[in-house]
């Protein structure tokens, strides 16, 4: 698909989304079909709020594009969005969306704990829940669920991608690693995946500090890291803690190779070109050089005045995937959609080189991901393009499931 | 190893400075008007966002002077329009008021600037590190601590060496007598609220180059500032300073010995122990009208 349009209207006219996904339907269907109600839940306040804001922008744009191209199998999508706040509230709101609003599915989330509670409600109603931001391995392992699908990549896959990158730089075997781990489920999850990777590849963990979730100052930790003189410093942190760390890492003049196992582009942008450093894994970023990605970046920038963050990619693509699923399966019932999404024909264009598919055994979207590397401070042209993106991982010569082979989180029985 | 430990202790001592400016303001507003200002952190966030807006025009150092003044102005306005109605009634109402105000400000910032954190850099002159033997420290933090120390010293002089300060201190202890002497406390209350909230604004400018500027940054810092005030003793100038140092030290030492996951819990444990022995805090004064 090649689109050269520079305006959103142009983008819509060509029907880029529709062409890519084949959701357009004959006009006679459009007239009579009932709207397809989709619920969207994601945290828009609290420490995940910045990502939630991008998630909402992404899903809104997806719905706009799908509707402009004839809807999902002829049905116009009606979007109901709410702040999921926390796991308990997320569960209550999911219940209300299925019960009162009669939504056919729920898309969204970033917090893995909220993913779990929403997925339980969805399973009770026999409707699909599409996770666009929860990384936890156990959601794909012991907590997996027949009606839950994961567009977001899981922790182990990020660890394996980031680890592969460092291995290609000869920074793993026999090298000393120092990790900083957020002291809650997300961080511990990443740490165990990171330990598994280091053990398997000869890396040595010389230090790990558990960081309380409300810590904002890292000076004490930085003094310790400086004393330890590791080869690589790797973060299992999230959100503003990554940004704070990046700013203070530069402030204290540390220059050990830096990276991390969980990351969102918003943390890099918040740190700014002056402070952003290291190499970080990413499900997608706005510099991925292909026509579909750049058309999306253009449409998003036209709509919101800034390029999309990886979270916007997640919710936008989840919207398109589910619109196509409803069109192809001919029905939005939970079991019908599960059967379709698990089938062989459910291959999705994800604005990446290779198409992706949901692995039937755990419903993880198997896809290429990326590693981004900070540009030296002086080389950034603007506040957004402050890094370069790697080629898709795994490389073209390796099977797509390479990164998802060794994962933690228990066994999934659907 | 010993060198590292000493470095950690030093760093811990300095770490307390970051909450000091906010904690002192909180303590000041409470001791004079009896208002527990839960919106204090929100004014800190306003300070950081104003720094973001003003720096392109006036530079970092311009922002460092202008922002505290603007925030102090906002503080006086808040005192005049809102606090005055709550001085004489149950503190529960002012708690609700300032809690609401904090949420309004946080959402306001989110509305104007978006939820995404904003990037803000330190000026190039303050970039870099200082080496003192084995001890490495950031040049910017030394500047930060110096400015904070200057502000605290200025506040001390104002409260203890001027006629303004004498009336404020008398007003803390016994507003009725001050009134009987024919002095109206109202303008003093406004100015004190302005200074206290202005200090939060100053902290906002000072911390934005090393912390993340985002709408919820005030909520992030307010709890610890409260803990410092409670440990030090409400209304006590030196108590708050000692408590800030103790809190920083506790955190730093626990990280140094590898118990970082306990570093936050230990601060609350410290508060618990202090309150067990001294219910008014370390140097808390007996303020008659709050008994």
């Amino acid at each position: 698909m090649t689109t050269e349009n520079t305006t959103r209207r142009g983008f819509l006219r060509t029907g880029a989304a529709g062409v890519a996904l084949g959701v357009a339907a004959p006009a006679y269907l459009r007239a009579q079909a009932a709207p397809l109600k989709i619920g969207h839940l994601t945290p828009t306040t609290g420490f995940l709020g910045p990502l939630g804001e991008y998630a909402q922008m992404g899903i809104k744009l997806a719905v706009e594009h799908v509707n402009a191209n004839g809807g999902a199998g002829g049905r116009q999508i009606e979007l109901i969005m709410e702040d999921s706040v926390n796991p308990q509230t997320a569960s209550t709101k999911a219940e209300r969306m299925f019960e009162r609003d009669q939504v056919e599915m729920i898309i969204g989330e970033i917090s893995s704990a909220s993913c779990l509670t929403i997925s339980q409600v969805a399973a009770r109603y026999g409707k699909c829940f599409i996770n666009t931001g929860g990384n936890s391995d156990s959601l794909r392992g012991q907590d997996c669920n027949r009606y839950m699908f994961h567009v977001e990549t899981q922790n182990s896959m990020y660890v394996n991608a980031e680890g592969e990158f460092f291995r290609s730089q000869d920074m793993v075997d026999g090298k000393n690693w120092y990790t900083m781990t957020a002291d809650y489920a997300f961080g511990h999850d990443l740490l165990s995946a990171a330990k598994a990777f280091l053990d398997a590849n000869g890396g040595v963990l010389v230090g790990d500090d558990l960081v309380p979730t409300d810590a904002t100052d890292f000076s004490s930790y930085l003094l310790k890291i400086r004393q330890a003189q590791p080869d690589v410093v790797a973060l299992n942190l999230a959100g503003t803690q990554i940004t704070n760390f990046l700013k203070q890492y530069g402030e204290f003049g540390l220059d050990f190779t830096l990276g991390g196992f969980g990351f969102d582009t918003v943390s890099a942008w918040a740190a700014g070109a002056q402070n952003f450093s290291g190499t970080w894994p990413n499900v997608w970023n706005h510099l991925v050089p292909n026509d579909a990605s750049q058309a999306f970046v253009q449409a998003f920038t036209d709509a919101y005045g800034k390029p999309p963050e990886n979270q916007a990619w997640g919710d936008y693509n989840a919207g398109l995937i589910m619109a196509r699923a409803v069109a192809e399966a001919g029905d939005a019932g939970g079991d019908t959609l599960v059967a379709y999404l698990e089938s062989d024909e459910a291959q999705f264009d994800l604005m990446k080189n290779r198409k992706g598919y949901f692995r039937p055994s755990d419903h993880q979207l198997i896809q290429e991901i990326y590693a981004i590397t900070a540009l030296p401070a002086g080389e950034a042209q603007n506040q957004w393009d402050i890094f370069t993106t790697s080629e898709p991982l795994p490389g073209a010569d390796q099977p797509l499931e390479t990164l998802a082979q060794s994962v933690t989180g228990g066994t999934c029985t659907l | 190893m010993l060198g590292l430990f000493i470095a950690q202790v030093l760093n811990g001592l300095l770490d307390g400075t970051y909450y000091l400016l906010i904690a002192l303001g909180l303590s000041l507003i409470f001791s004079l008007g009896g208002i527990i200002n839960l919106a204090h952190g929100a004014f800190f966030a306003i300070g950081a966002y104003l720094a973001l807006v003003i720096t392109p025009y006036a530079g970092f150092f311009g922002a460092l002077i202008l922002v505290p003044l603007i925030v102090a102005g906002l503080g006086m306005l808040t005192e005049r329009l809102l606090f005055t109605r709550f001085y004489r009634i149950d503190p529960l109402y002012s708690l609700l008021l300032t809690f609401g105000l904090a949420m309004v400000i946080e959402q306001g910032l989110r509305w104007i600037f978006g939820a995404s954190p904003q990037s803000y850099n330190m000026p190039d002159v303050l970039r870099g590190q200082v080496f003192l033997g084995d001890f490495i420290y950031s040049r910017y933090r030394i500047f930060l601590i110096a400015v904070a120390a200057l502000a605290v010293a200025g506040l001390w002089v104002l409260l203890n060496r001027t006629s303004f300060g004498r009336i404020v201190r008398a007003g803390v202890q016994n507003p009725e007598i001050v009134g009987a002497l024919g002095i109206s406390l109202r303008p003093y209350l406004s100015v004190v609220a302005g200074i206290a909230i202005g200090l939060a604004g100053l902290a906002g400018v000072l911390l934005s180059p090393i912390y993340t500027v985002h709408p919820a940054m005030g909520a992030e810092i307010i709890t610890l500032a409260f803990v410092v005030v409670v440990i030090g003793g409400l209304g006590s100038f030196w108590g708050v300073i000692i408590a800030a140092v103790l809190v920083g030290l506790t955190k730093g030492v626990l990280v140094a010995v590898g118990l970082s996951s306990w570093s936050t819990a230990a601060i609350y444990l410290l508060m618990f122990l202090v309150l067990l022995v001294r219910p008014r805090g370390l140097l808390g004064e007996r303020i008659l009208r709050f008994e």
Side-chain angles (χ1 to χ4, degrees), chain A residues 44-47 49-54 57 178 181 183 208-228 239-245 247-254 266-275 306 309 383, chain B residues 1 4 7-8 11-12 15 18-19 106-107 110 113-122 124 127-129 131 133-141 207-214 216 220-221 224 251-264 268:
Chain A
T44 57
T45 48
F47 80 108
L51 292 171
E53 199 178 68
Y54 277 104
M57 293 184 215
Y178 199 109
T181 301
D183 198 6
D208 174 61
D209 283 323
L210 291 174
V211 182
T213 49
D214 59 351
T216 49
D217 194 82
F218 291 96
S219 51
S220 316
Y221 302 91
L222 293 168
L223 293 174
K224 274 181 87 175
I225 293 174
R226 181 172 171 271
Q227 185 79 10
T240 55
Q241 283 196 324
I242 293 184
T243 308
N244 282 10
F245 188 92
K247 287 177 120 173
Q248 295 168 22
Y249 195 71
E251 188 203 350
F252 275 78
L254 269 56
V266 71
S267 301
W269 289 333
Q274 289 274 20
N275 302 303
K306 57 184 178 183
E309 212 263 358
Q383 68 186 107
Chain B
M1 211 55 217
L4 175 66
Q8 289 286 13
N11 179 58
D15 192 28
Y18 314 143
Y19 331 110
E106 185 181 324
Q107 290 302 330
R110 192 169 278 131
F113 296 95
S116 296
Q118 307 280 326
S119 127
Y120 187 78
N121 292 317
M122 63 181 68
D124 285 332
R127 218 166 261 284
Q129 296 79 39
F131 294 86
D134 216 18
F135 186 56
I136 177 181
Y137 215 60
S138 128
R139 187 181 295 171
Y140 181 78
R141 280 185 203 227
L207 290 183
S208 45
I210 54 173
Y211 288 178
T212 309
V213 180
H214 63 119
E220 222 171 61
I221 204 157
L224 218 48
K251 258 176 43 179
V253 168
L254 281 169
V255 173
V257 298
L259 291 173
S260 55
S261 58
W262 285 92
S263 55
T264 301
Y268 294 99

Side-chain angles (χ1 to χ4, degrees), chain A residues 46-209:
Chain A
F47 80 108
L48 295 170
L51 292 171
E53 199 178 68
Y54 277 104
Q56 290 196 335
M57 293 184 215
I59 191 74
K60 275 193 289 190
L61 197 62
V63 168
E64 198 180 306
H65 287 177
V66 169
N67 284 345
N69 284 288
R75 297 169 68 180
Q76 291 285 300
I77 297 177
E78 197 183 313
L79 184 66
I80 299 160
M81 293 196 304
E82 284 204 48
D83 179 1
S84 62
V85 187
N86 60 41
Q88 291 75 30
T89 311
S91 161
T92 315
K93 288 194 171 176
E95 187 104 38
R96 202 168 60 203
M97 280 181 166
F98 285 126
E99 191 68 48
R100 191 190 67 189
D101 303 325
Q102 300 279 310
V103 301
E104 299 282 5
M105 68 186 79
I106 290 178
I107 294 178
E109 244 339 299
I110 299 167
S111 148
S112 291
S114 298
C115 282
L116 183 59
T117 61
I118 295 173
S119 75
Q120 288 160 346
V121 175
R124 219 165 45 239
Y125 284 87
K127 304 277 189 189
C128 284
F129 164 55
I130 318 301
N131 162 25
T132 57
N135 298 24
S136 157
D137 277 351
S138 51
L139 284 176
R140 288 84 170 166
Q142 61 200 25
D143 294 330
C144 74
N145 169 329
R146 176 173 150 75
Y147 296 95
M148 174 163 56
F149 290 82
H150 310 278
V151 169
E152 171 67 293
T153 301
Q154 69 186 92
N155 279 336
S156 288
M157 290 169 71
Y158 283 124
V159 170
N160 293 339
E162 178 81 352
E164 277 310 316
F165 171 83
F166 279 114
R167 213 162 61 127
S168 73
Q169 308 286 308
D170 203 20
M171 291 301 285
V172 180
D173 192 17
K175 301 289 183 185
N176 292 334
W177 285 56
Y178 199 109
T179 54
M180 301 273 294
T181 301
D183 198 6
Y184 69 107
F186 167 77
H188 288 268
D189 224 37
L190 279 182
L191 180 63
S192 54
K195 277 180 174 161
F197 179 84
L198 289 177
D199 280 347
N201 293 284
V204 187
L205 188 63
V206 291
D208 174 61
D209 283 323

Side-chain angles (χ1 to χ4, degrees), chain B residues 54-241:
Chain B
I54 289 178
T55 303
Y57 305 101
F60 174 78
F61 296 101
L64 193 62
I65 293 163
L66 289 173
V67 171
L69 293 176
I70 299 172
V71 177
L74 288 175
M76 288 173 75
L77 206 65
T78 309
E79 195 274 342
R80 266 293 143 92
L81 295 177
L82 300 171
F83 290 0
T84 42
R85 297 163 206 273
F86 293 86
Y87 284 137
R88 281 170 203 290
I89 53 176
D90 193 325
L92 202 59
Y93 292 102
S94 63
L95 265 180
L96 280 175
L97 168 83
T98 55
F99 182 63
L101 184 61
M103 290 205 288
V104 168
I105 293 176
E106 185 181 324
Q107 290 302 330
L109 290 173
R110 192 169 278 131
W111 194 42
I112 299 170
F113 296 95
S116 296
Q118 307 280 326
S119 127
Y120 187 78
N121 292 317
M122 63 181 68
D124 285 332
V125 263
L126 296 175
R127 218 166 261 284
Q129 296 79 39
V130 175
F131 294 86
L132 304 162
D134 216 18
F135 186 56
I136 177 181
Y137 215 60
S138 128
R139 187 181 295 171
Y140 181 78
R141 280 185 203 227
I142 291 177
F143 170 79
L144 189 166
I145 288 159
V147 172
L150 213 64
V152 171
L155 184 64
W156 186 85
V157 170
L158 183 70
L159 290 178
N160 292 286
R161 290 286 180 271
T162 63
S163 56
F164 173 86
R166 267 194 294 280
I167 292 168
V168 169
R169 279 183 296 131
V172 168
Q173 282 306 333
N174 205 327
E176 280 77 22
I177 301 263
V178 174
L181 290 171
I183 299 167
S184 166
L185 265 183
R186 283 204 51 178
Y188 290 89
L189 285 164
S190 291
V191 174
V192 164
I195 292 172
I197 289 173
L199 283 176
L202 175 66
V205 188
L206 283 174
L207 290 183
S208 45
I210 54 173
Y211 288 178
T212 309
V213 180
H214 63 119
M217 66 190 297
E220 222 171 61
I221 204 157
I222 190 77
T223 319
L224 218 48
F226 260 113
V227 172
V228 168
V229 174
V230 171
I231 293 176
L234 274 167
S236 160
F237 189 87
W238 291 107
V240 170
I241 293 180

